[in-house]
């Protein structure tokens, strides 16, 4: 069965996984460096805090967060500043 495998596809898949893993490690490192102490750290990969009276869940290794039932990606600290009326 291995004879049917496409070596180009396999190489692209390995490269994609390596980039994914490197990005994930970098995002987690940056989040830990930027941690202002306001987070409840449930695991290395799941944090939460209260923002404007609602729970904000954050997955720092993916730059993903959920607030008021909506899942988003990006700069969570900018989102918090906006919700709290700080710029």
């Amino acid at each position: 069965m291995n004879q049917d495998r496409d070596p180009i596809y396999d190489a692209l898949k390995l490269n994609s996984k390596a980039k994914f893993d490197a990005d994930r490690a970098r995002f987690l490192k940056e989040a830990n460096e930027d941690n202002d102490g306001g987070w409840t750290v449930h695991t290395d990969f799941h944090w939460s805090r209260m923002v404007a009276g609602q729970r904000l869940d954050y997955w720092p290794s993916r730059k993903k967060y959920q607030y008021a039932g909506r899942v988003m990606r990006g700069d969570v600290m900018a989102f918090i500043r906006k919700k709290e009326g700080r710029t």
Side-chain angles (χ1 to χ4, degrees), residues 6-7 11 14-15 17 22 29 33 41-42 46 51 64 75 78 86:
D6 181 348
L14 280 174
N15 185 56
K17 172 134 176 52
K29 180 179 180 276
E33 289 170 354
V41 179
H42 305 285
H46 178 225
V51 175
K64 182 166 83 172
D75 186 346
R86 297 182 285 144

Side-chain angles (χ1 to χ4, degrees), residues 3-66:
Q3 298 169 8
D4 296 333
R5 296 191 60 109
D6 181 348
I8 294 172
Y9 174 79
D10 289 345
L12 289 171
K13 189 173 177 182
L14 280 174
N15 185 56
S16 179
K17 172 134 176 52
K19 182 182 180 329
F20 176 88
D21 291 343
D23 286 348
R24 185 174 180 160
R26 181 172 49 91
F27 295 158
L28 188 57
K29 180 179 180 276
E30 290 169 357
N32 280 303
E33 289 170 354
D34 295 340
N35 185 353
D36 63 1
W39 295 99
T40 299
V41 179
H42 305 285
T43 70
D44 287 343
F45 304 103
H46 178 225
W47 303 0
S48 68
R49 75 190 299 162
M50 295 302 290
V51 175
Q54 294 193 48
R55 180 178 166 129
L56 171 71
D57 285 290
Y58 179 43
W59 295 271
S61 65
R62 301 301 303 136
K63 287 193 173 184
K64 182 166 83 172
Y65 53 96
Q66 180 174 340

Side-chain angles (χ1 to χ4, degrees), residues 70-86:
R70 185 169 172 219
V71 177
M72 297 160 273
R73 289 184 185 267
D75 186 346
V76 72
M77 296 309 289
F79 176 82
I80 291 169
R81 285 190 300 272
K82 181 179 176 186
K83 283 293 175 187
E84 292 180 341
R86 297 182 285 144

